[in-house]
Every structure is written in C-alpha cells, then in structure tokens.
C-alpha cells in the first residue's frame, strides 16, 4: 500500500510546484528536476524593487557582502518549508558580511506583508509580483529558486527548487571564508 502512495505523493508535489503565484501552470520541465547551476564569472544583473512597506531594496547596496537571493511566493509549500532555515541563516551569519534578500512573486503585496508577519521573517523581500521584472531578469521559472552572489557581485551558485539546507549553508560559509582569506601581494625588494 505504501509503495502505491509514494508515486501519488510525488505527482502531487510536482503538480503543486508547477503553478505560479496566480495558479497558472509553468512548464513542467522546469519542475521535473532541481539542479544547481554555477557560473562564477557572471556578474549579477541590477536588481531592485520596493519591499512590502514601499521602501527601496537594491542588490547594489549589498556590495561587499555575500548575498543569498530567495525567489518565493506565499502559496508555494516548498518555499514556506524553507523559511525557518532561511531565518536561521540570517541569525547565524554576521549582518555586515551576509544578507538574505527575498524576491516575492505574489500578485498582491498585501499577501507578502501577511506572510512576512505570519512567518515572522527576519529579512526583507522585493514585492515583484507575478512574472515581475526581477524574476524575469533572473530567468526564474521555478519556485523556490536560490541564487548565491559573492561579495564582488558575481553569481556563484543557483539552484532551482528546494536545495539541501546543509549544502546551501556550506556554500555560504565557503564564500564568507573566501572573502576573509588574504590575497597574496607582491613584495618589492
């Protein structure tokens, strides 16, 4: 009996995750597998918008920090399941070296405010809207999507779908360590 429920559960998970914030279907292929993508040489595109309180939030203002972008929407079960871990990341890493920036795809900013309050989020999110300009610029087709940006503003890792929390934390730790490591400077004689 249990073996019959596993495929059904997977089907429900995949179908549930193929809907965007307005309940419209996204391409199934975008959700079939979650995969990490790395491109250490690609600079992050300009990313800015208004948060749930109407304040400007810009990626450029975080230069010098490791930044984790979290693309999410309120009715996404995997997005909500990762929120406690995201909150722990914000608490664990020093605010002067790391920041988590949410990009919310809810059609109505009021839904974003409600979820921020309900989940007691300790990070701000851009109210991007359904298929908004930030999600479009980043080519986001799956939720959640995570992008890790180094302190120099380069994309170092991307994961479409729920990542392994330990891997995510390890990648953040690695980028923070890179920033601490002294660079060799030539000495003159």
């Amino acid at each position: 009996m249990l073996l019959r429920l596993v495929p059904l559960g997977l089907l429900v998970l995949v179908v549930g995750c193929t809907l965007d914030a307005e309940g419209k279907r996204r391409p199934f292929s975008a959700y079939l597998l979650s995969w990490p993508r790395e491109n250490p040489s690609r600079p992050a595109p300009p990313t800015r918008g208004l948060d749930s309180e109407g304040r400007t939030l810009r990626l450029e203002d975080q230069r010098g920090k490791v930044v984790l972008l979290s693309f999410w929407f309120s009715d996404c079960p995997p997005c909500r399941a990762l929120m406690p871990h995201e909150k722990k990341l914000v608490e664990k890493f020093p605010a002067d070296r790391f920041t988590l920036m949410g990009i919310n795809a809810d059609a109505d900013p009021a839904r974003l405010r409600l979820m921020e309050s309900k989940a007691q989020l300790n990070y701000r999110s851009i109210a991007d809207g359904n298929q908004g300009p930030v999600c479009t610029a980043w080519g986001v087709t799956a939720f959640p999507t995570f992008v890790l940006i180094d302190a120099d503003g380069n994309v170092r890792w991307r994961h479409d779908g729920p990542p392994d929390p330990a891997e995510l934390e390890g990648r953040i730790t690695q980028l923070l360590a890179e920033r601490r490591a002294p660079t060799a400077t030539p000495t003159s004689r």
Side-chain angles (χ1 to χ4, degrees):
M1 178 67 174
L2 182 60
L3 290 177
R4 289 183 179 164
L5 293 177
V6 171
L8 179 61
L10 290 173
L11 178 64
V12 168
L13 178 63
V14 169
V15 170
C17 292
T18 61
L19 302 177
D20 66 12
E22 289 185 343
K24 295 179 184 169
R25 287 188 117 13
R26 297 260 185 181
F28 177 76
S29 59
Y31 302 93
L32 189 56
L33 296 173
S34 296
W35 68 94
R37 292 186 264 174
E38 296 184 53
N39 185 352
S41 64
R42 185 178 135 219
T47 302
R48 66 181 57 126
L50 299 178
D51 68 8
S52 63
E53 297 176 5
R55 296 177 297 168
T56 300
L57 186 57
R58 298 181 331 173
L59 179 59
E60 300 83 48
D61 293 342
Q62 306 306 318
R63 191 63 152 225
K65 296 181 183 182
V66 171
V67 178
L68 177 63
L69 296 181
S70 172
F71 293 84
W72 64 282
F73 68 96
S74 297
D75 290 331
C76 169
C79 301
R80 290 193 314 268
L82 287 165
M83 287 176 181
H85 183 69
E86 291 172 337
K87 290 171 27 178
K88 287 178 185 173
L89 292 174
V90 172
E91 293 168 4
K92 177 177 181 164
F93 295 111
D96 62 333
R97 301 189 60 229
F98 171 78
T99 193
L100 192 154
M101 199 166 133
I103 313 296
N104 178 266
D106 287 327
D108 182 4
R111 301 241 336 133
L112 166 59
R113 281 190 297 277
L114 180 66
M115 183 54 71
E116 285 177 326
S117 175
K118 183 178 178 182
Q120 299 178 346
L121 298 182
N122 57 358
Y123 57 90
R124 294 168 57 199
S125 292
I126 291 175
D128 195 42
N130 186 39
Q131 298 180 353
V134 177
C135 287
T136 300
W138 282 92
V140 172
T141 59
F143 293 96
T145 290
F146 290 90
V147 179
L148 195 53
I149 301 163
D150 68 20
D152 295 322
N154 295 311
V155 174
R156 296 291 295 271
W157 180 77
R158 175 178 170 146
H159 193 88
D160 298 338
D164 173 55
E167 178 187 5
L168 178 58
E169 189 170 329
R171 288 181 179 273
I172 294 168
T173 301
Q174 178 184 359
L175 288 181
L176 289 171
E178 284 178 16
R179 196 63 181 167
R180 265 197 318 260
T183 56
T185 56
T187 57
S188 58
R189 293 196 163 160

